[in-house]
Amino acid sequence: MAACYHGFDPAAYLQYNYTAPRADFKRQDSIVPWKLGCLHRAFTEGDVSGELLVDIGSGPTLYQVLSGCEVFNRVILTDFLEVNRQELRRWLRDEGDCGLDWTPYLQHVCKLEGRQPSVWTEKAARLRAVVSDILPVDVHHPQPLAPGALSSVGADCLVSCFCLESVSPDLAAFTRALGHIQGLLRPGGHLLLIGALGESYYFGGPGVKIPVVPLNEAEVCASLKETGFTLIRLEVYTLPQDMRVGVDDVSGVFFVKAKKE
């Protein structure tokens, strides 16, 4: 699978998936606002708490921790690819020249939190303050992060979006990877998982076609159960026809809130 990611282009990937129509904040049925809404609700229901939030397979994106950064005092971002880690560092250091302007995302999440969109700069400052590390990760290794990256207690919450199914050759590997990241989480900690349904490929750049494990809801639930998670909630989004823009063959997206027993 690592070979499939040679040539991955963070800027192209961001343009394919994180601009309109998939990121149209004026539309109720746009996929990105749906994901942000799921994450906002999960982080503000009161049961997800602690000190450390770890994002598994961040890619070149930040949206998945925009709500969580208000709940946790420390956030660790991770990705297998150095080009993605570099993209994240550019934003966190406020160097400019980023592949995407995250301002509309910051503004939208501020609105979800009942704040004026104009305070988005405060949220950006908060995120930059709480991200303590951007680390390499390999979900196919029984210890996905380097030894000592986390304390022995483990993370209080894991987020992972569109990672496991897009780096696994089959369902069995997806389930094993889920088990590996489960080992990073403290007992009683939460997992917030977003992933693709019915997707067999996506483009990670011009001509970079990456295979994906096509999942359905039942398979996701079975994998969670097998790896020691208790499902709290499963939500499903079905892509409208105009969201199917030719950069993948995804039919839907799932959101999972689960707890490690």
Side-chain angles (χ1 to χ4, degrees), residues 22 31 237-245 248 250-253:
R22 291 187 169 183
I31 182 172
Y237 170 95
T238 301
L239 263 75
Q241 198 58 44
D242 68 338
M243 299 283 163
R244 305 183 186 201
V245 292
D248 52 44
V250 64
S251 60
V253 176

Side-chain angles (χ1 to χ4, degrees), residues 49-68:
S49 62
E51 182 67 22
L52 176 62
L53 169 65
V54 179
D55 182 26
I56 300 295
S58 306
T61 66
L62 293 160
Y63 70 92
Q64 60 274 24
V65 293
L66 295 183
S67 292

Side-chain angles (χ1 to χ4, degrees), residues 138-144 173 175-184 227:
D138 183 351
V139 298
H140 296 307
H141 194 280
Q143 192 170 345
T175 304
R176 284 195 300 273
L178 190 58
H180 293 160
I181 69 168
Q182 190 256 35
L184 302 173
T227 52

Side-chain angles (χ1 to χ4, degrees), residues 88 127 138 193:
L88 296 173
L127 180 56
D138 183 351
L193 188 67

